[in-house]
Amino acid sequence: MKNKSMLISVGITAALAVLATGAAISAQDKYTLKVPNGLAFSEFKGYEGWQTISVSHNGDLLAVILGNPAMIDAFKAGVPGNGKPFPDGAKMAKIHWNARKNETAPGQPLVAGGLHDVDFMVKDSKRFSDSGGWGYGEFEYDAPSEAFRPGTQADTPPQGNDAKCGAACHTAAKQQDYVFTQYPKR
């Protein structure tokens, strides 16, 4: 009887260990992701706590654009309006959510719904000398799996497999050092 109880205890412990390991394996560590030949999610660790630069609404998406301290300091110093470029090390993150109407709030404003994707930019004039000094990365979010994946050519807009995927679009903002976002008064 004692051996049977011991066997049951060992079996339960082993089963729980397997379940815990499976849960740990299935939880994604977004910081291990990388755009092939491009930016790694880990280069932007802590972006969730960066200061807000601005917000935007485009079609069905709402976005908040965040900047690391180097980016915020540059904006506060007047970049790019003062004719100076953003410094190397300046980083931006743009978090997109599907817009949804808040039915219970006065005026039924649009608010953030499900996460859609996260875009990143980093200024590194040596590493990205052939794309205006900026590197780009885009990571799509899949709600059912609660996981990110690097953007692909099948996404809208299409994303190339390198850190220059945003360079073509951002050429239109060359006069603003390739940055569309403005830092509004507070």
Side-chain angles (χ1 to χ4, degrees):
M1 189 72 168
K2 201 174 194 182
N3 283 342
K4 193 173 185 181
S5 292
M6 180 74 126
L7 189 58
I8 290 171
S9 277
V10 168
I12 291 172
T13 302
L16 289 174
V18 167
L19 287 173
T21 302
I25 289 171
S26 68
Q28 181 193 42
D29 178 4
K30 63 187 175 186
Y31 293 111
T32 62
L33 294 176
K34 181 178 180 182
V35 173
N37 303 312
L39 298 179
F41 213 119
S42 62
E43 293 180 64
F44 299 86
K45 198 165 198 162
Y47 74 92
E48 302 93 333
W50 292 351
Q51 283 188 321
T52 300
I53 297 169
S54 193
V55 295
S56 69
H57 175 226
N58 187 2
D60 294 332
L61 297 178
L62 294 177
V64 63
I65 301 96
L66 308 171
N68 73 345
M71 191 75 183
I72 297 297
D73 289 346
F75 271 124
K76 287 180 178 178
V79 175
N82 63 7
K84 294 182 180 178
F86 289 96
D88 280 359
K91 296 179 181 181
M92 297 174 68
K94 187 173 191 180
I95 306 169
H96 288 107
W97 292 275
N98 295 306
R100 69 171 180 81
K101 195 183 294 185
N102 184 340
E103 303 285 344
T104 61
Q108 297 183 335
L110 290 177
V111 297
L115 183 59
H116 186 273
D117 68 86
V118 179
D119 304 339
F120 295 121
M121 286 177 64
V122 60
K123 181 73 177 265
D124 186 331
S125 55
K126 289 184 179 83
R127 187 174 167 200
F128 305 112
S129 60
D130 59 344
S131 58
W134 289 95
Y136 305 86
E138 194 263 351
F139 295 88
E140 293 283 327
Y141 183 73
D142 179 63
S145 67
E146 296 184 15
F148 285 94
R149 65 166 174 77
T152 68
Q153 290 293 335
D155 293 318
T156 304
Q159 302 297 315
N161 285 330
D162 58 29
K164 297 163 190 68
C165 61
C169 292
H170 284 259
T171 301
K174 185 176 182 178
Q175 297 301 320
Q176 294 83 35
D177 194 19
Y178 302 91
V179 174
F180 288 113
T181 304
Q182 296 178 357
Y183 189 73
K185 293 211 180 288
R186 323 246 143 174

